[in-house]
């Protein structure tokens, strides 16, 4: 399944860190370029139209020399998510932050690695959404989707 996803990076005083990510670089595992949002706080956005070209993005962002790592926020919204997910740097790793009344549900893991790993679906739990059979909150595919 091909999905569209948006990733927003918010980081104060990180123009120098993010500048190389605004240019194409074929050596990166993920493909595309970030575009500045023009916010005072410092914000950039990228859109992915397929799952495969985004693999390795979070690891790449973790490795950057952030001037204020405690203020880095990464917001990710996949096409079928109810809301943006939030990742923040903790001990050098980007970790998804739990949001109230929101849960990530995962489909069963694929039988082969022919397909890209799925990040699952971020759904609100306070509505009337019905979780499809076979989905769970535990990670089903051990490969990182981002």
């Amino acid at each position: 399944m091909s999905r569209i996803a948006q990733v927003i990076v918010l980081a104060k005083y990180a123009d120098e860190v993010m500048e190389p990510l605004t240019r194409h670089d074929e050596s990166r595992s993920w493909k595309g370029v970030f575009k500045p949002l023009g916010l005072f706080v410092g914000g950039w956005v990228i859109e992915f139209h397929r799952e495969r070209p985004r693999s390795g993005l979070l690891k790449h962002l973790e490795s950057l020399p952030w001037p204020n790592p405690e203020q880095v926020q990464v917001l990710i919204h996949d096409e079928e998510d109810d809301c943006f997910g939030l990742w923040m740097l903790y001990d050098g790793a980007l970790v998804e932050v739990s949001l109230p009344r929101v849960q990530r549900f995962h489909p069963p893991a694929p039988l082969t690695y022919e397909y890209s790993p799925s990040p699952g679906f971020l759904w609100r739990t306070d509505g009337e959404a019905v979780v499809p059979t076979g989905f769970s909150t535990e990670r089903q595919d051990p490969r990182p989707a981002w």
Side-chain angles (χ1 to χ4, degrees), residues 50-103:
R50 293 183 310 271
E51 291 176 357
R52 195 171 304 275
R54 65 189 187 189
S55 180
L57 175 64
L58 291 182
K59 285 290 178 201
H60 189 126
L61 293 174
E62 287 173 356
S63 72
L64 298 175
W66 298 104
N68 300 296
E70 69 282 356
Q71 296 177 354
V72 173
Q73 297 173 51
V74 178
L75 302 165
I76 300 176
H77 186 275
D78 257 330
E79 184 175 318
E80 296 180 36
D81 290 344
D82 286 341
C83 60
F84 277 87
L86 170 64
W87 279 256
M88 295 179 74
L89 281 167
Y90 293 107
D91 300 321
L94 278 166
V95 176
E96 188 169 13
V97 176
S98 296
L99 300 174
R101 299 184 177 140
V102 173
Q103 229 162 348

Side-chain angles (χ1 to χ4, degrees), residues 8-15 18 37-44 66-68 71-73 75:
I8 297 172
V9 174
L10 300 173
K12 276 177 128 177
Y13 312 115
D15 293 328
M18 287 298 294
L37 288 174
L39 301 174
F40 171 74
V41 71
W44 298 264
W66 298 104
N68 300 296
Q71 296 177 354
V72 173
Q73 297 173 51
L75 302 165

Side-chain angles (χ1 to χ4, degrees), residues 18 27 33 41 49 55 57 83 98 112-113 121 126-127 132:
M18 287 298 294
S27 68
V33 295
V41 71
H49 293 276
S55 180
L57 175 64
C83 60
S98 296
T112 68
Y113 286 163
F121 303 94
D126 57 349

